[in-house]
Amino acid sequence: MIKKIIVATGLLFSFVSFAQQGTSSPYSYYGIGEIRYRGMLENRSMGGVAVEQDSIHVNVENPASYASLRQTTLTMGGTYGRRALEDNVGKASTARTTVDYMVVAIPVGKLGIGFGLIPYSSVGYKIQSVSADLDKNNSRLEGTGGVNKAFIGAGYKLTKNFSFGADFQYNFGKIQTESLEYITGVPVGTRETNLTYINGANFNVGAMYQAKISPKLSLYSSLNYTFQGNLTSENTRNISTIDYDGTVNIDPEGFDELQSSKSLSLPSKVTFGVGVGQARKWMLGTEIALREAGDLANNFNNVAGVTFDPYKRVSVGGYYIPNFNSFTSYLERVVYRAGIRYEKTGLVVKNQHIEDKSFTLGFGLPAIGTFSNFNIGLEYGIKGTTAAGLIKENYFNASVSFSLNDKWFVKRKFY
């Protein structure tokens, strides 16, 4: 039964991850889309801090963490997000509901194994410019898709305090963009459609160290390095004449198709975090992630005035549990999380560095009688700027996840 649940859930997640629009940001036009945070909701609710070796929560940011798990864990998460978009001309709003991840982790003595599927990047935008001037072109840009990451990894506890791990990541996905140009009052226009299939692999290694520094306090640390990976991009471009009359009808006589391929570079990344806290009571930590610029500009969106610089993320966050062992008050066993995050995304448009800043809150709700839990996360953030005619995004995300924990592989004896 467990195997059937995992297979069915994996197939469903694969279908949804291809079909959904994981973002509604205009900045997802560039490169391979908006890069999604890889971590679990528990870590996202602390601004992205993932430094503690947890026995019941999966931490996919660092594969060394799998060695600390004590029960087999199945976790899934999703997000409902709204964005208010603003430029120097006007305002608009969008909303999306997305699946964030599906992960299974299995402890085997000192060894822990984890595998799953996570969206790596998302493309989702629709931008329209309409002019009443009969001498000027109207345009409509639309894009969907993204890149998914399937991974399998393992962590091993070398000593009581030190763990090491590694994982293999296979990236694959489909991105489709469409550009429509027409003039008001003229029923004929042009449409360019680009379809891109992306695939490639890379590796990730990590280490975690945790030790007592006083009878109550513990020190947590995490170091993670993702090696540079190469992606192969297979592109098909269709250019066609269209009849535009409120709907778009392709004129088959004016059809041209171009095919090309390009190698893209996923940049290497290093993440270091440190924290201090009391086990099952509280933790406060900080984390820094640095990523090289890479080469993510594809043939269809390699435009002038856009470059990719190194990426940087700084996070500060933690959690608090009033009374982990309380039998009289459920609220005292709830995990309260909070954090702040600053990102320099690496995207530079018209000499403007696109930054992303957010504040997060979270609540871990334990299931009665088990180690399973349900999590709620809230995030408010600001991305981009209205300078140089660009777009500023004010976004709000409400996320939920569940973590089912149990000893699945126990050989029982009956007497």
Side-chain angles (χ1 to χ4, degrees):
M1 177 60 70
I2 292 172
K3 291 182 179 179
K4 292 181 179 179
I5 293 174
I6 295 174
V7 171
T9 305
L11 291 174
L12 174 62
F13 182 80
S14 299
F15 173 77
V16 172
S17 63
F18 271 115
Q20 69 179 345
Q21 287 189 10
T23 182
S24 55
S25 172
Y27 294 110
S28 67
Y29 170 83
Y30 304 103
I32 59 174
E34 182 181 55
I35 305 301
R36 305 273 293 275
Y37 174 67
R38 188 180 176 223
M40 304 291 93
L41 179 56
E42 295 92 323
N43 305 123
R44 286 167 50 191
S45 298
M46 298 187 290
V49 174
V51 298
E52 186 179 16
Q53 298 185 45
D54 200 314
S55 61
I56 61 172
H57 294 101
V58 179
N59 172 12
V60 297
E61 280 282 273
N62 193 325
S65 67
Y66 302 146
S68 298
L69 289 171
R70 291 296 173 261
Q71 293 191 333
T72 299
T73 302
L74 166 64
T75 179
M76 291 187 66
T79 296
Y80 171 78
R82 293 190 61 87
R83 293 180 189 246
L85 310 177
E86 176 185 357
D87 63 9
N88 295 327
V89 178
K91 298 181 180 180
S93 62
T94 63
R96 292 286 187 274
T97 300
T98 62
V99 176
D100 292 335
Y101 53 82
M102 194 281 285
V103 177
V104 176
I106 304 169
V108 187
K110 292 184 178 182
L111 180 71
I113 300 171
F115 58 90
L117 187 62
I118 297 178
Y120 178 76
S121 71
S122 294
V123 176
Y125 59 86
K126 188 173 184 179
I127 306 171
Q128 186 164 330
S129 175
V130 179
S131 174
D133 192 338
L134 300 181
D135 294 329
K136 292 185 178 180
N137 284 0
N138 301 314
S139 64
R140 188 181 72 190
L141 303 175
E142 188 171 0
T144 59
V147 177
N148 300 292
K149 182 185 294 293
F151 68 92
I152 182 169
Y156 186 78
K157 191 169 283 293
L158 297 173
T159 68
K160 179 182 178 181
N161 300 325
F162 181 74
S163 300
F164 176 81
D167 62 25
F168 169 79
Q169 305 170 6
Y170 179 70
N171 308 284
F172 62 98
K174 169 186 168 184
I175 298 174
Q176 182 170 338
T177 66
E178 178 181 293
S179 174
L180 172 66
E181 297 280 345
Y182 64 97
I183 298 175
T184 302
V186 178
V188 178
T190 59
R191 187 181 76 167
E192 177 186 301
T193 302
N194 294 282
L195 184 62
T196 298
Y197 289 94
I198 295 175
N199 66 85
N202 61 335
F203 294 88
N204 184 48
V205 296
M208 301 188 79
Y209 180 79
Q210 178 173 316
K212 288 277 190 180
I213 55 177
S214 76
K216 289 188 176 181
L217 292 182
S218 295
L219 173 71
Y220 310 102
S221 62
S222 172
L223 178 64
N224 191 66
Y225 183 78
T226 302
F227 293 91
Q228 177 180 313
N230 294 320
L231 298 177
T232 299
S233 171
E234 299 292 340
N235 309 307
T236 300
R237 171 175 290 177
N238 294 324
I239 302 175
S240 58
T241 302
I242 60 162
D243 296 326
Y244 187 83
D245 57 358
T247 61
V248 178
N249 302 305
I250 297 177
D251 179 1
E253 299 299 327
F255 185 87
D256 189 20
E257 181 174 285
L258 302 173
Q259 293 186 339
S260 65
S261 63
K262 184 181 180 183
S263 293
L264 307 178
S265 173
L266 278 180
S268 60
K269 177 183 176 183
V270 61
T271 305
F272 174 73
V274 63
V276 64
Q278 182 179 342
R280 300 182 182 86
K281 184 66 176 181
W282 65 272
M283 190 277 296
L284 179 64
T286 184
E287 191 170 89
I288 298 175
L290 303 172
R291 186 175 65 214
E292 294 182 351
D295 180 14
L296 298 175
N298 212 331
N299 294 345
F300 63 83
N301 61 7
N302 190 6
V303 296
V306 177
T307 58
F308 294 92
D309 276 2
Y311 160 96
K312 177 171 67 175
R313 172 175 62 87
V314 179
S315 301
V316 177
Y319 69 81
Y320 174 71
I321 308 173
N323 186 353
F324 177 80
N325 294 315
S326 176
F327 291 100
T328 59
S329 174
Y330 180 81
L331 293 179
E332 289 190 351
R333 292 190 287 118
V334 171
V335 184
Y336 300 90
R337 303 181 177 102
I340 55 175
R341 172 179 57 86
Y342 166 79
E343 283 189 18
K344 191 174 181 179
T345 66
L347 176 63
V348 183
V349 184
K350 297 181 180 179
N351 294 320
Q352 301 295 319
H353 293 269
I354 306 303
E355 299 178 345
D356 190 348
K357 295 159 280 190
S358 74
F359 171 73
T360 59
L361 285 174
F363 306 92
L365 309 177
I368 297 175
T370 72
F371 288 102
S372 299
N373 53 86
F374 181 78
N375 298 282
I376 299 173
L378 305 174
E379 179 180 27
Y380 174 76
I382 300 174
K383 181 178 181 179
T385 176
T386 57
L390 299 181
I391 296 174
K392 183 174 72 172
E393 305 174 7
N394 292 274
Y395 60 87
F396 173 78
N397 295 323
S399 304
V400 294
S401 74
F402 65 83
S403 179
L404 302 180
N405 301 68
D406 200 358
K407 293 184 178 181
W408 287 1
F409 305 104
V410 176
K411 188 174 182 180
R412 305 184 185 276
K413 293 182 179 181
F414 296 91
Y415 298 94

